mmCIF file of all heavy atoms in Angstrom:
data_model
loop_
_atom_site.group_PDB
_atom_site.id
_atom_site.type_symbol
_atom_site.label_atom_id
_atom_site.label_comp_id
_atom_site.label_asym_id
_atom_site.label_seq_id
_atom_site.Cartn_x
_atom_site.Cartn_y
_atom_site.Cartn_z
ATOM 1 N N GLU H 1 -88.226 -172.166 5.348
ATOM 2 C CA GLU H 1 -88.305 -171.445 6.621
ATOM 3 C C GLU H 1 -86.907 -171.116 7.143
ATOM 4 O O GLU H 1 -86.668 -170.025 7.667
ATOM 5 C CB GLU H 1 -89.076 -172.279 7.643
ATOM 6 C CG GLU H 1 -89.338 -171.537 8.947
ATOM 7 C CD GLU H 1 -90.120 -172.364 9.950
ATOM 8 O OE1 GLU H 1 -90.394 -173.545 9.666
ATOM 9 O OE2 GLU H 1 -90.439 -171.807 11.028
ATOM 10 N N LEU H 2 -85.975 -172.066 7.000
ATOM 11 C CA LEU H 2 -84.598 -171.815 7.428
ATOM 12 C C LEU H 2 -83.953 -170.754 6.540
ATOM 13 O O LEU H 2 -83.265 -169.858 7.042
ATOM 14 C CB LEU H 2 -83.769 -173.104 7.383
ATOM 15 C CG LEU H 2 -82.299 -172.965 7.798
ATOM 16 C CD1 LEU H 2 -82.172 -172.507 9.241
ATOM 17 C CD2 LEU H 2 -81.539 -174.272 7.595
ATOM 18 N N TYR H 3 -84.172 -170.831 5.216
ATOM 19 C CA TYR H 3 -83.607 -169.820 4.311
ATOM 20 C C TYR H 3 -84.070 -168.427 4.731
ATOM 21 O O TYR H 3 -83.284 -167.470 4.749
ATOM 22 C CB TYR H 3 -84.023 -170.062 2.859
ATOM 23 C CG TYR H 3 -83.831 -171.461 2.339
ATOM 24 C CD1 TYR H 3 -84.641 -171.954 1.304
ATOM 25 C CD2 TYR H 3 -82.857 -172.299 2.853
ATOM 26 C CE1 TYR H 3 -84.471 -173.234 0.808
ATOM 27 C CE2 TYR H 3 -82.686 -173.591 2.357
ATOM 28 C CZ TYR H 3 -83.507 -174.057 1.343
ATOM 29 O OH TYR H 3 -83.348 -175.324 0.861
ATOM 30 N N ASP H 4 -85.364 -168.318 5.071
ATOM 31 C CA ASP H 4 -85.933 -167.020 5.449
ATOM 32 C C ASP H 4 -85.331 -166.511 6.760
ATOM 33 O O ASP H 4 -85.078 -165.314 6.924
ATOM 34 C CB ASP H 4 -87.455 -167.123 5.596
ATOM 35 C CG ASP H 4 -88.161 -167.364 4.265
ATOM 36 O OD1 ASP H 4 -87.510 -167.174 3.214
ATOM 37 O OD2 ASP H 4 -89.361 -167.734 4.276
ATOM 38 N N LYS H 5 -85.088 -167.427 7.699
ATOM 39 C CA LYS H 5 -84.521 -167.019 8.982
ATOM 40 C C LYS H 5 -83.084 -166.521 8.839
ATOM 41 O O LYS H 5 -82.659 -165.601 9.538
ATOM 42 C CB LYS H 5 -84.562 -168.193 9.966
ATOM 43 C CG LYS H 5 -85.954 -168.488 10.506
ATOM 44 C CD LYS H 5 -85.915 -169.625 11.521
ATOM 45 C CE LYS H 5 -87.303 -169.864 12.125
ATOM 46 N NZ LYS H 5 -87.298 -170.955 13.118
ATOM 47 N N VAL H 6 -82.353 -167.127 7.929
ATOM 48 C CA VAL H 6 -80.936 -166.755 7.761
ATOM 49 C C VAL H 6 -80.783 -165.503 6.903
ATOM 50 O O VAL H 6 -79.992 -164.598 7.235
ATOM 51 C CB VAL H 6 -80.136 -167.926 7.152
ATOM 52 C CG1 VAL H 6 -78.686 -167.499 6.882
ATOM 53 C CG2 VAL H 6 -80.151 -169.128 8.095
ATOM 54 N N PHE H 7 -81.535 -165.402 5.792
ATOM 55 C CA PHE H 7 -81.311 -164.308 4.840
ATOM 56 C C PHE H 7 -82.493 -163.354 4.668
ATOM 57 O O PHE H 7 -82.376 -162.375 3.942
ATOM 58 C CB PHE H 7 -80.961 -164.893 3.460
ATOM 59 C CG PHE H 7 -79.594 -165.519 3.400
ATOM 60 C CD1 PHE H 7 -79.440 -166.891 3.284
ATOM 61 C CD2 PHE H 7 -78.461 -164.734 3.492
ATOM 62 C CE1 PHE H 7 -78.184 -167.470 3.239
ATOM 63 C CE2 PHE H 7 -77.188 -165.300 3.440
ATOM 64 C CZ PHE H 7 -77.057 -166.667 3.314
ATOM 65 N N GLY H 8 -83.599 -163.616 5.334
ATOM 66 C CA GLY H 8 -84.770 -162.759 5.140
ATOM 67 C C GLY H 8 -85.784 -163.430 4.224
ATOM 68 O O GLY H 8 -85.445 -164.276 3.401
ATOM 69 N N LYS H 9 -87.033 -163.009 4.353
ATOM 70 C CA LYS H 9 -88.123 -163.667 3.651
ATOM 71 C C LYS H 9 -87.964 -163.598 2.143
ATOM 72 O O LYS H 9 -87.766 -162.535 1.565
ATOM 73 C CB LYS H 9 -89.462 -163.053 4.060
ATOM 74 C CG LYS H 9 -90.672 -163.714 3.435
ATOM 75 C CD LYS H 9 -91.836 -163.713 4.352
ATOM 76 C CE LYS H 9 -93.030 -164.427 3.718
ATOM 77 N NZ LYS H 9 -92.842 -165.881 3.734
ATOM 78 N N ASP H 10 -88.042 -164.789 1.540
ATOM 79 C CA ASP H 10 -88.059 -164.976 0.079
ATOM 80 C C ASP H 10 -86.804 -164.462 -0.634
ATOM 81 O O ASP H 10 -86.823 -164.251 -1.849
ATOM 82 C CB ASP H 10 -89.306 -164.310 -0.538
ATOM 83 C CG ASP H 10 -90.601 -164.938 -0.048
ATOM 84 O OD1 ASP H 10 -90.578 -166.141 0.264
ATOM 85 O OD2 ASP H 10 -91.620 -164.221 0.036
ATOM 86 N N GLU H 11 -85.698 -164.243 0.143
ATOM 87 C CA GLU H 11 -84.447 -163.836 -0.505
ATOM 88 C C GLU H 11 -83.785 -165.030 -1.196
ATOM 89 O O GLU H 11 -83.064 -164.870 -2.174
ATOM 90 C CB GLU H 11 -83.480 -163.248 0.536
ATOM 91 C CG GLU H 11 -83.901 -161.903 1.097
ATOM 92 C CD GLU H 11 -83.831 -160.804 0.049
ATOM 93 O OE1 GLU H 11 -82.908 -160.839 -0.806
ATOM 94 O OE2 GLU H 11 -84.695 -159.921 0.058
ATOM 95 N N ILE H 12 -84.024 -166.235 -0.680
ATOM 96 C CA ILE H 12 -83.445 -167.465 -1.228
ATOM 97 C C ILE H 12 -84.581 -168.409 -1.610
ATOM 98 O O ILE H 12 -85.558 -168.566 -0.868
ATOM 99 C CB ILE H 12 -82.533 -168.147 -0.181
ATOM 100 C CG1 ILE H 12 -81.420 -167.194 0.271
ATOM 101 C CG2 ILE H 12 -81.931 -169.433 -0.741
ATOM 102 C CD1 ILE H 12 -80.454 -166.784 -0.793
ATOM 103 N N LYS H 13 -84.438 -169.072 -2.766
ATOM 104 C CA LYS H 13 -85.537 -169.891 -3.287
ATOM 105 C C LYS H 13 -85.337 -171.398 -3.091
ATOM 106 O O LYS H 13 -86.298 -172.149 -2.991
ATOM 107 C CB LYS H 13 -85.734 -169.611 -4.788
ATOM 108 C CG LYS H 13 -86.013 -168.141 -5.122
ATOM 109 C CD LYS H 13 -87.268 -167.629 -4.429
ATOM 110 C CE LYS H 13 -87.563 -166.180 -4.826
ATOM 111 N NZ LYS H 13 -88.706 -165.634 -4.066
ATOM 112 N N ASP H 14 -84.071 -171.863 -3.077
ATOM 113 C CA ASP H 14 -83.834 -173.301 -2.945
ATOM 114 C C ASP H 14 -82.490 -173.547 -2.262
ATOM 115 O O ASP H 14 -81.734 -172.613 -1.994
ATOM 116 C CB ASP H 14 -83.880 -173.992 -4.311
ATOM 117 C CG ASP H 14 -82.934 -173.357 -5.323
ATOM 118 O OD1 ASP H 14 -81.819 -172.943 -4.928
ATOM 119 O OD2 ASP H 14 -83.298 -173.250 -6.515
ATOM 120 N N GLU H 15 -82.179 -174.826 -2.007
ATOM 121 C CA GLU H 15 -80.981 -175.161 -1.263
ATOM 122 C C GLU H 15 -79.714 -174.818 -2.040
ATOM 123 O O GLU H 15 -78.701 -174.402 -1.449
ATOM 124 C CB GLU H 15 -80.967 -176.647 -0.884
ATOM 125 C CG GLU H 15 -79.781 -177.004 0.005
ATOM 126 C CD GLU H 15 -79.829 -178.405 0.576
ATOM 127 O OE1 GLU H 15 -80.848 -179.101 0.390
ATOM 128 O OE2 GLU H 15 -78.834 -178.807 1.215
ATOM 129 N N GLU H 16 -79.732 -174.971 -3.346
ATOM 130 C CA GLU H 16 -78.551 -174.633 -4.151
ATOM 131 C C GLU H 16 -78.214 -173.152 -4.009
ATOM 132 O O GLU H 16 -77.048 -172.773 -3.818
ATOM 133 C CB GLU H 16 -78.802 -174.984 -5.618
ATOM 134 C CG GLU H 16 -77.584 -174.706 -6.492
ATOM 135 C CD GLU H 16 -77.836 -175.034 -7.968
ATOM 136 O OE1 GLU H 16 -78.920 -175.559 -8.288
ATOM 137 O OE2 GLU H 16 -76.926 -174.765 -8.776
ATOM 138 N N GLU H 17 -79.235 -172.306 -4.090
ATOM 139 C CA GLU H 17 -79.026 -170.858 -3.940
ATOM 140 C C GLU H 17 -78.590 -170.540 -2.507
ATOM 141 O O GLU H 17 -77.760 -169.647 -2.280
ATOM 142 C CB GLU H 17 -80.320 -170.120 -4.278
ATOM 143 C CG GLU H 17 -80.141 -168.610 -4.398
ATOM 144 C CD GLU H 17 -81.419 -167.911 -4.820
ATOM 145 O OE1 GLU H 17 -82.390 -168.600 -5.212
ATOM 146 O OE2 GLU H 17 -81.457 -166.672 -4.736
ATOM 147 N N PHE H 18 -79.153 -171.259 -1.541
ATOM 148 C CA PHE H 18 -78.806 -171.095 -0.128
ATOM 149 C C PHE H 18 -77.317 -171.369 0.094
ATOM 150 O O PHE H 18 -76.593 -170.575 0.703
ATOM 151 C CB PHE H 18 -79.665 -172.053 0.705
ATOM 152 C CG PHE H 18 -79.446 -171.982 2.184
ATOM 153 C CD1 PHE H 18 -79.638 -170.800 2.895
ATOM 154 C CD2 PHE H 18 -79.065 -173.120 2.896
ATOM 155 C CE1 PHE H 18 -79.454 -170.752 4.279
ATOM 156 C CE2 PHE H 18 -78.875 -173.083 4.266
ATOM 157 C CZ PHE H 18 -79.065 -171.887 4.965
ATOM 158 N N ARG H 19 -76.834 -172.490 -0.456
ATOM 159 C CA ARG H 19 -75.433 -172.857 -0.300
ATOM 160 C C ARG H 19 -74.518 -171.883 -1.043
ATOM 161 O O ARG H 19 -73.427 -171.558 -0.564
ATOM 162 C CB ARG H 19 -75.202 -174.288 -0.800
ATOM 163 C CG ARG H 19 -75.709 -175.359 0.169
ATOM 164 C CD ARG H 19 -75.572 -176.757 -0.390
ATOM 165 N NE ARG H 19 -75.826 -177.758 0.643
ATOM 166 C CZ ARG H 19 -74.891 -178.362 1.357
ATOM 167 N NH1 ARG H 19 -73.615 -178.083 1.144
ATOM 168 N NH2 ARG H 19 -75.197 -179.259 2.279
ATOM 169 N N THR H 20 -74.942 -171.417 -2.196
ATOM 170 C CA THR H 20 -74.132 -170.451 -2.957
ATOM 171 C C THR H 20 -73.959 -169.165 -2.171
ATOM 172 O O THR H 20 -72.845 -168.610 -2.088
ATOM 173 C CB THR H 20 -74.795 -170.148 -4.312
ATOM 174 O OG1 THR H 20 -74.893 -171.360 -5.062
ATOM 175 C CG2 THR H 20 -73.977 -169.119 -5.091
ATOM 176 N N LYS H 21 -75.057 -168.692 -1.563
ATOM 177 C CA LYS H 21 -74.995 -167.451 -0.789
ATOM 178 C C LYS H 21 -74.131 -167.633 0.454
ATOM 179 O O LYS H 21 -73.333 -166.752 0.813
ATOM 180 C CB LYS H 21 -76.413 -167.048 -0.373
ATOM 181 C CG LYS H 21 -76.524 -165.648 0.220
ATOM 182 C CD LYS H 21 -76.380 -164.581 -0.847
ATOM 183 C CE LYS H 21 -76.689 -163.206 -0.276
ATOM 184 N NZ LYS H 21 -76.486 -162.147 -1.287
ATOM 185 N N LEU H 22 -74.264 -168.787 1.101
ATOM 186 C CA LEU H 22 -73.441 -169.068 2.277
ATOM 187 C C LEU H 22 -71.958 -169.119 1.920
ATOM 188 O O LEU H 22 -71.102 -168.629 2.662
ATOM 189 C CB LEU H 22 -73.856 -170.400 2.916
ATOM 190 C CG LEU H 22 -75.201 -170.431 3.643
ATOM 191 C CD1 LEU H 22 -75.501 -171.840 4.121
ATOM 192 C CD2 LEU H 22 -75.214 -169.462 4.817
ATOM 193 N N GLU H 23 -71.650 -169.723 0.767
ATOM 194 C CA GLU H 23 -70.260 -169.814 0.331
ATOM 195 C C GLU H 23 -69.680 -168.425 0.077
ATOM 196 O O GLU H 23 -68.518 -168.153 0.402
ATOM 197 C CB GLU H 23 -70.148 -170.673 -0.927
ATOM 198 C CG GLU H 23 -68.713 -170.911 -1.358
ATOM 199 C CD GLU H 23 -68.588 -171.921 -2.477
ATOM 200 O OE1 GLU H 23 -69.578 -172.621 -2.779
ATOM 201 O OE2 GLU H 23 -67.486 -172.013 -3.055
ATOM 202 N N GLU H 24 -70.490 -167.536 -0.493
ATOM 203 C CA GLU H 24 -70.045 -166.152 -0.716
ATOM 204 C C GLU H 24 -69.739 -165.466 0.609
ATOM 205 O O GLU H 24 -68.741 -164.735 0.734
ATOM 206 C CB GLU H 24 -71.119 -165.371 -1.482
ATOM 207 C CG GLU H 24 -71.299 -165.799 -2.926
ATOM 208 C CD GLU H 24 -72.490 -165.100 -3.592
ATOM 209 O OE1 GLU H 24 -73.159 -164.300 -2.888
ATOM 210 O OE2 GLU H 24 -72.739 -165.367 -4.777
ATOM 211 N N GLN H 25 -70.608 -165.691 1.605
ATOM 212 C CA GLN H 25 -70.381 -165.095 2.932
ATOM 213 C C GLN H 25 -69.090 -165.620 3.554
ATOM 214 O O GLN H 25 -68.290 -164.847 4.095
ATOM 215 C CB GLN H 25 -71.557 -165.412 3.856
ATOM 216 C CG GLN H 25 -72.785 -164.556 3.647
ATOM 217 C CD GLN H 25 -73.822 -164.800 4.742
ATOM 218 O OE1 GLN H 25 -73.823 -165.832 5.403
ATOM 219 N NE2 GLN H 25 -74.706 -163.844 4.919
ATOM 220 N N LEU H 26 -68.915 -166.947 3.476
ATOM 221 C CA LEU H 26 -67.704 -167.549 4.043
ATOM 222 C C LEU H 26 -66.454 -167.036 3.342
ATOM 223 O O LEU H 26 -65.446 -166.733 3.982
ATOM 224 C CB LEU H 26 -67.774 -169.076 3.936
ATOM 225 C CG LEU H 26 -68.713 -169.801 4.898
ATOM 226 C CD1 LEU H 26 -68.742 -171.294 4.575
ATOM 227 C CD2 LEU H 26 -68.283 -169.591 6.347
ATOM 228 N N ALA H 27 -66.529 -166.941 2.014
ATOM 229 C CA ALA H 27 -65.373 -166.466 1.240
ATOM 230 C C ALA H 27 -65.002 -165.050 1.650
ATOM 231 O O ALA H 27 -63.810 -164.718 1.807
ATOM 232 C CB ALA H 27 -65.679 -166.534 -0.250
ATOM 233 N N SER H 28 -66.026 -164.188 1.852
ATOM 234 C CA SER H 28 -65.771 -162.812 2.264
ATOM 235 C C SER H 28 -65.157 -162.766 3.660
ATOM 236 O O SER H 28 -64.195 -162.025 3.912
ATOM 237 C CB SER H 28 -67.084 -162.016 2.242
ATOM 238 O OG SER H 28 -66.883 -160.712 2.710
ATOM 239 N N MET H 29 -65.692 -163.580 4.578
ATOM 240 C CA MET H 29 -65.169 -163.620 5.949
ATOM 241 C C MET H 29 -63.729 -164.146 5.966
ATOM 242 O O MET H 29 -62.849 -163.564 6.610
ATOM 243 C CB MET H 29 -66.056 -164.509 6.812
ATOM 244 C CG MET H 29 -65.606 -164.630 8.258
ATOM 245 S SD MET H 29 -66.609 -165.797 9.195
ATOM 246 C CE MET H 29 -66.073 -167.373 8.473
ATOM 247 N N PHE H 30 -63.481 -165.222 5.230
ATOM 248 C CA PHE H 30 -62.141 -165.802 5.205
ATOM 249 C C PHE H 30 -61.143 -164.882 4.514
ATOM 250 O O PHE H 30 -59.953 -164.883 4.846
ATOM 251 C CB PHE H 30 -62.158 -167.164 4.524
ATOM 252 C CG PHE H 30 -62.836 -168.245 5.325
ATOM 253 C CD1 PHE H 30 -63.611 -169.211 4.709
ATOM 254 C CD2 PHE H 30 -62.695 -168.288 6.702
ATOM 255 C CE1 PHE H 30 -64.238 -170.208 5.449
ATOM 256 C CE2 PHE H 30 -63.317 -169.278 7.466
ATOM 257 C CZ PHE H 30 -64.090 -170.230 6.828
ATOM 258 N N GLU H 31 -61.622 -164.097 3.546
ATOM 259 C CA GLU H 31 -60.738 -163.138 2.875
ATOM 260 C C GLU H 31 -60.235 -162.106 3.886
ATOM 261 O O GLU H 31 -59.043 -161.774 3.922
ATOM 262 C CB GLU H 31 -61.482 -162.451 1.733
ATOM 263 C CG GLU H 31 -60.704 -161.346 1.027
ATOM 264 C CD GLU H 31 -59.519 -161.849 0.224
ATOM 265 O OE1 GLU H 31 -59.352 -163.086 0.091
ATOM 266 O OE2 GLU H 31 -58.749 -161.005 -0.272
ATOM 267 N N ARG H 32 -61.149 -161.588 4.716
ATOM 268 C CA ARG H 32 -60.734 -160.627 5.757
ATOM 269 C C ARG H 32 -59.761 -161.275 6.726
ATOM 270 O O ARG H 32 -58.743 -160.689 7.085
ATOM 271 C CB ARG H 32 -61.964 -160.111 6.525
ATOM 272 C CG ARG H 32 -62.879 -159.201 5.733
ATOM 273 C CD ARG H 32 -63.851 -158.476 6.658
ATOM 274 N NE ARG H 32 -64.646 -159.399 7.464
ATOM 275 C CZ ARG H 32 -65.794 -159.927 7.078
ATOM 276 N NH1 ARG H 32 -66.291 -159.624 5.887
ATOM 277 N NH2 ARG H 32 -66.473 -160.733 7.872
ATOM 278 N N ASP H 33 -60.089 -162.517 7.148
ATOM 279 C CA ASP H 33 -59.204 -163.211 8.089
ATOM 280 C C ASP H 33 -57.830 -163.471 7.471
ATOM 281 O O ASP H 33 -56.796 -163.357 8.146
ATOM 282 C CB ASP H 33 -59.826 -164.544 8.514
ATOM 283 C CG ASP H 33 -61.069 -164.352 9.375
ATOM 284 O OD1 ASP H 33 -61.248 -163.239 9.907
ATOM 285 O OD2 ASP H 33 -61.850 -165.313 9.516
ATOM 286 N N SER H 34 -57.830 -163.817 6.182
ATOM 287 C CA SER H 34 -56.571 -164.102 5.485
ATOM 288 C C SER H 34 -55.701 -162.849 5.408
ATOM 289 O O SER H 34 -54.486 -162.900 5.640
ATOM 290 C CB SER H 34 -56.859 -164.633 4.085
ATOM 291 O OG SER H 34 -55.675 -164.760 3.335
ATOM 292 N N ILE H 35 -56.326 -161.729 5.087
ATOM 293 C CA ILE H 35 -55.580 -160.461 5.000
ATOM 294 C C ILE H 35 -55.025 -160.084 6.365
ATOM 295 O O ILE H 35 -53.863 -159.677 6.493
ATOM 296 C CB ILE H 35 -56.479 -159.345 4.437
ATOM 297 C CG1 ILE H 35 -56.758 -159.600 2.951
ATOM 298 C CG2 ILE H 35 -55.823 -157.976 4.618
ATOM 299 C CD1 ILE H 35 -57.754 -158.643 2.338
ATOM 300 N N ASN H 36 -55.859 -160.200 7.408
ATOM 301 C CA ASN H 36 -55.402 -159.844 8.762
ATOM 302 C C ASN H 36 -54.241 -160.735 9.207
ATOM 303 O O ASN H 36 -53.276 -160.254 9.807
ATOM 304 C CB ASN H 36 -56.558 -159.957 9.747
ATOM 305 C CG ASN H 36 -57.596 -158.864 9.556
ATOM 306 O OD1 ASN H 36 -57.276 -157.796 9.047
ATOM 307 N ND2 ASN H 36 -58.826 -159.131 9.948
ATOM 308 N N LEU H 37 -54.353 -162.035 8.911
ATOM 309 C CA LEU H 37 -53.251 -162.946 9.265
ATOM 310 C C LEU H 37 -51.993 -162.573 8.493
ATOM 311 O O LEU H 37 -50.896 -162.525 9.066
ATOM 312 C CB LEU H 37 -53.646 -164.396 8.960
ATOM 313 C CG LEU H 37 -52.519 -165.443 9.082
ATOM 314 C CD1 LEU H 37 -51.941 -165.456 10.493
ATOM 315 C CD2 LEU H 37 -53.023 -166.825 8.689
ATOM 316 N N TYR H 38 -52.147 -162.293 7.199
ATOM 317 C CA TYR H 38 -50.962 -161.983 6.397
ATOM 318 C C TYR H 38 -50.290 -160.690 6.868
ATOM 319 O O TYR H 38 -49.063 -160.586 6.862
ATOM 320 C CB TYR H 38 -51.306 -161.883 4.916
ATOM 321 C CG TYR H 38 -50.057 -161.780 4.080
ATOM 322 C CD1 TYR H 38 -49.261 -162.901 3.867
ATOM 323 C CD2 TYR H 38 -49.635 -160.558 3.577
ATOM 324 C CE1 TYR H 38 -48.083 -162.815 3.150
ATOM 325 C CE2 TYR H 38 -48.455 -160.468 2.852
ATOM 326 C CZ TYR H 38 -47.686 -161.594 2.648
ATOM 327 O OH TYR H 38 -46.514 -161.503 1.946
ATOM 328 N N LYS H 39 -51.087 -159.725 7.282
ATOM 329 C CA LYS H 39 -50.504 -158.480 7.783
ATOM 330 C C LYS H 39 -49.622 -158.752 9.001
ATOM 331 O O LYS H 39 -48.543 -158.168 9.137
ATOM 332 C CB LYS H 39 -51.612 -157.483 8.133
ATOM 333 C CG LYS H 39 -52.252 -156.813 6.925
ATOM 334 C CD LYS H 39 -53.349 -155.855 7.337
ATOM 335 C CE LYS H 39 -53.934 -155.122 6.128
ATOM 336 N NZ LYS H 39 -55.027 -154.185 6.518
ATOM 337 N N ARG H 40 -50.082 -159.640 9.888
ATOM 338 C CA ARG H 40 -49.257 -159.988 11.056
ATOM 339 C C ARG H 40 -47.987 -160.707 10.624
ATOM 340 O O ARG H 40 -46.894 -160.423 11.122
ATOM 341 C CB ARG H 40 -50.058 -160.850 12.032
ATOM 342 C CG ARG H 40 -51.223 -160.149 12.700
ATOM 343 C CD ARG H 40 -51.694 -160.878 13.943
ATOM 344 N NE ARG H 40 -52.230 -162.193 13.682
ATOM 345 C CZ ARG H 40 -53.496 -162.452 13.367
ATOM 346 N NH1 ARG H 40 -54.361 -161.453 13.253
ATOM 347 N NH2 ARG H 40 -53.904 -163.686 13.176
ATOM 348 N N GLN H 41 -48.143 -161.666 9.693
ATOM 349 C CA GLN H 41 -46.972 -162.408 9.222
ATOM 350 C C GLN H 41 -45.979 -161.484 8.523
ATOM 351 O O GLN H 41 -44.763 -161.601 8.711
ATOM 352 C CB GLN H 41 -47.413 -163.509 8.257
ATOM 353 C CG GLN H 41 -48.154 -164.660 8.917
ATOM 354 C CD GLN H 41 -48.607 -165.690 7.897
ATOM 355 O OE1 GLN H 41 -49.433 -165.406 7.026
ATOM 356 N NE2 GLN H 41 -48.052 -166.887 7.979
ATOM 357 N N MET H 42 -46.508 -160.565 7.714
ATOM 358 C CA MET H 42 -45.635 -159.664 6.973
ATOM 359 C C MET H 42 -44.881 -158.728 7.917
ATOM 360 O O MET H 42 -43.676 -158.506 7.753
ATOM 361 C CB MET H 42 -46.457 -158.849 5.964
ATOM 362 C CG MET H 42 -45.624 -157.889 5.129
ATOM 363 S SD MET H 42 -46.601 -157.046 3.850
ATOM 364 C CE MET H 42 -47.750 -156.140 4.868
ATOM 365 N N SER H 43 -45.574 -158.173 8.921
ATOM 366 C CA SER H 43 -44.895 -157.264 9.851
ATOM 367 C C SER H 43 -43.814 -158.005 10.631
ATOM 368 O O SER H 43 -42.721 -157.472 10.861
ATOM 369 C CB SER H 43 -45.914 -156.625 10.804
ATOM 370 O OG SER H 43 -46.557 -157.589 11.598
ATOM 371 N N GLU H 44 -44.106 -159.260 11.034
ATOM 372 C CA GLU H 44 -43.098 -160.052 11.745
ATOM 373 C C GLU H 44 -41.896 -160.335 10.842
ATOM 374 O O GLU H 44 -40.741 -160.261 11.289
ATOM 375 C CB GLU H 44 -43.719 -161.369 12.218
ATOM 376 C CG GLU H 44 -44.742 -161.202 13.344
ATOM 377 C CD GLU H 44 -45.528 -162.473 13.609
ATOM 378 O OE1 GLU H 44 -45.219 -163.504 12.970
ATOM 379 O OE2 GLU H 44 -46.451 -162.442 14.441
ATOM 380 N N HIS H 45 -42.178 -160.662 9.584
ATOM 381 C CA HIS H 45 -41.103 -160.943 8.636
ATOM 382 C C HIS H 45 -40.222 -159.708 8.434
ATOM 383 O O HIS H 45 -38.982 -159.817 8.409
ATOM 384 C CB HIS H 45 -41.700 -161.381 7.295
ATOM 385 C CG HIS H 45 -40.683 -161.565 6.212
ATOM 386 N ND1 HIS H 45 -40.037 -162.770 5.985
ATOM 387 C CD2 HIS H 45 -40.179 -160.694 5.287
ATOM 388 C CE1 HIS H 45 -39.193 -162.626 4.980
ATOM 389 N NE2 HIS H 45 -39.262 -161.380 4.537
#
């Protein structure tokens, strides 16, 4: 029920797949944050 609420009905089958998908989302979000931070650091440098 939680998997369905987060990703849509029957998109995720078990907790391992749930965690894998969440990790992909976090990695994508952190990648954007990392690039944005580096752009500020680079311009200051």
